[in-house]
């Protein structure tokens, strides 16, 4: 029979076991906070700035960031796509700590853009998670917020839609991750990567790193206006007697890249031009075309292909089709 002191000791040991198990922290994991296909319907325009000084670089040592940037910018190619409604989703389970939903959807620098007064995030949601983790979702569409303060959400739940509010110069979701108020890069949470992918990220399924690419391409009867490219209204009908221009809209262009624009018409190749990029730019476009020949363009189908080349190899490609009818 056990001694009088053995039972309390055994019971004490049993009581300690659940506490030890609870002390083992569950890994914090994230799902994609936006409903789009990266590389096709959206792209990461900016990552967390991994440079400790006044310069800027992303975790892969690329230029997709700017000095002091504290989040990941999931961008849409155009405002037209944003207007169709693209969902923002909770990246992990948690509780809504705060939100804002009254700022207009106007890009900064455009007519009517409001004074920010510290509201750079625009319309957005902040979610608190276990063990000091926090996620923030910025630049959401006015009137789209679908949660309330104090509400518990699961990973993947709809929070609202991508917008243009706050300190925004293109349609995107600024997604920030913090732990105990310190910024964390979900692609490199331990800040140990030297120009490459981390062995451990915060993502359940780590998104591929896209070092740049084509956002959009199309035909027009002249060199398009940059604002029309942003709006998604640059593609135009082309008359048979008008100039025929092929354009491509790029993010993450680097000095030394080449944009190759080709148009094949009913009677052969109409355009074939390589356009080197002289400097690194976050967004840019190039266009190439020809005036209509005497008597107008032949009736039929014109196929356009825009290719972004880096180090001589294709990095990204977009196609466009134009039909000329009598």
């Amino acid at each position: 029979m056990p001694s009088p002191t053995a039972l309390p000791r055994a019971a004490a040991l049993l009581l300690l076991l659940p506490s030890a198990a609870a002390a083992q922290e569950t890994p914090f994991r994230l799902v994609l906070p936006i409903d789009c296909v990266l590389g096709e319907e959206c792209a990461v325009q900016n990552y967390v700035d991994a440079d400790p000084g006044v310069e800027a670089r992303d975790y892969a040592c690329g230029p997709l960031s700017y000095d002091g940037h504290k989040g990941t910018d999931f961008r849409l190619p155009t405002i037209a796509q944003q207007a169709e409604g693209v969902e923002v989703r909770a990246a992990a389970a948690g509780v809504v700590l705060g939100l804002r939903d009254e700022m207009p959807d106007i890009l900064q620098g455009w007519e009517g853009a409001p004074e920010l007064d510290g509201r750079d995030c625009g319309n957005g949601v902040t979610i608190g998670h276990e063990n000091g983790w926090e996620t923030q979702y910025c630049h959401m569409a006015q009137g789209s917020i679908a949660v309330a303060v104090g509400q518990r959400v699961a990973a993947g739940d709809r929070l609202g839609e991508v917008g243009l509010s706050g300190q925004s110069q293109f349609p995107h979701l600024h997604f920030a991750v913090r732990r105990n108020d310190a910024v964390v890069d979900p692609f490199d949470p331990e800040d140990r990567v030297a120009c490459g992918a981390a062995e451990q990220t915060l993502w359940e399924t780590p998104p591929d790193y896209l070092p740049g690419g084509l956002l959009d391409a199309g035909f027009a009867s002249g060199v398009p206006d940059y604002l029309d490219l942003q709006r998604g209204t640059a593609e135009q009908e082309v008359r048979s007697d008008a100039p025929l221009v092929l354009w491509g809209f790029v993010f993450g262009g680097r000095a030394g890249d080449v944009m190759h624009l080709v148009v094949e018409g009913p009677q052969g190749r109409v355009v074939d031009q390589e356009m080197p990029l002289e400097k690194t730019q976050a967004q840019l476009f190039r266009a190439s075309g020809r005036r209509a020949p005497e008597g107008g363009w032949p009736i039929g189908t014109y196929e356009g292909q825009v290719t972004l080349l880096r180090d001589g190899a294709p990095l990204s490609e977009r196609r466009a089709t134009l039909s000329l009818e009598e």
Side-chain angles (χ1 to χ4, degrees), residues 72-126:
T72 304
D73 289 343
F74 295 92
R75 75 159 296 160
L76 304 178
T78 67
I79 293 172
Q81 185 180 354
Q82 177 268 326
E84 293 175 359
V86 178
E87 282 192 3
V88 175
R89 297 173 174 177
V95 176
V96 177
L97 302 180
L99 59 84
R100 182 187 298 118
D101 194 18
E102 73 274 1
M103 296 184 68
D105 285 293
I106 304 176
L107 296 180
Q108 282 299 300
W110 287 32
E111 184 178 354
E115 294 292 334
L116 295 178
D117 298 324
R119 301 175 297 170
D120 289 24
C121 179
N123 302 317
V125 175
T126 301

Side-chain angles (χ1 to χ4, degrees), residues 250 252-259 275-281 284-286 308:
V250 166
R254 300 187 189 180
D257 288 354
V258 174
M259 284 185 66
M275 309 180 78
L277 305 186
E278 296 179 354
K279 60 181 179 180
T280 297
Q281 291 180 271
L284 62 109
F285 80 96
R286 293 291 184 270
L308 179 66

Side-chain angles (χ1 to χ4, degrees), residues 22-262:
Q24 292 182 351
E25 186 177 313
T26 302
F28 184 58
R29 291 289 180 263
L30 304 170
V31 299
L32 202 67
I34 183 172
D35 181 24
C36 62
V37 179
L38 284 172
E40 297 180 18
E41 303 167 334
C42 60
V44 177
Q45 177 75 63
N46 296 302
Y47 294 86
V48 174
D49 180 15
D51 187 284
V54 296
E55 301 297 326
R57 64 173 176 85
D58 57 49
Y59 74 93
C61 289
L64 295 178
S65 190
Y66 57 86
D67 188 32
H69 191 240
K70 298 179 180 180
T72 304
D73 289 343
F74 295 92
R75 75 159 296 160
L76 304 178
T78 67
I79 293 172
Q81 185 180 354
Q82 177 268 326
E84 293 175 359
V86 178
E87 282 192 3
V88 175
R89 297 173 174 177
V95 176
V96 177
L97 302 180
L99 59 84
R100 182 187 298 118
D101 194 18
E102 73 274 1
M103 296 184 68
D105 285 293
I106 304 176
L107 296 180
Q108 282 299 300
W110 287 32
E111 184 178 354
E115 294 292 334
L116 295 178
D117 298 324
R119 301 175 297 170
D120 289 24
C121 179
N123 302 317
V125 175
T126 301
I127 299 176
H129 312 278
E130 293 183 351
N131 302 313
W133 290 99
E134 188 174 284
T135 54
Q136 186 178 25
Y137 311 75
C138 295
H139 312 307
M140 293 172 65
Q142 184 179 23
S144 75
I145 304 297
V147 293
V149 173
Q151 180 177 336
R152 183 169 291 278
V153 296
D157 280 358
R158 182 179 186 274
L159 302 180
E161 295 181 356
V162 176
L164 310 172
S165 59
Q167 183 58 270
S168 182
Q169 296 181 329
F170 49 88
H172 73 287
L173 167 70
H174 174 90
F175 174 66
V177 181
R178 297 183 287 268
R179 190 176 195 189
N180 299 324
D181 294 326
V183 174
V184 178
D185 183 349
F187 292 88
D188 181 19
E190 296 183 356
D191 194 23
R192 294 180 179 176
V193 173
C195 303
E199 291 185 5
Q200 295 293 329
T201 75
L202 295 184
W203 302 103
E204 284 190 2
T205 304
D208 291 335
Y209 176 77
L210 303 176
L214 281 149
L215 295 167
D216 203 3
F219 284 101
S221 57
V223 176
D225 184 86
Y226 184 68
L227 292 181
D228 287 332
L229 289 165
Q230 288 185 301
R231 293 187 181 104
T233 57
E235 189 162 19
Q236 305 169 351
E237 292 185 8
V238 179
R239 302 190 316 270
S240 62
D241 61 346
L244 188 154
V245 175
L246 176 67
W247 53 265
F249 186 27
V250 166
F251 84 97
R254 300 187 189 180
D257 288 354
V258 174
M259 284 185 66
H260 188 195
L261 297 96
V262 175

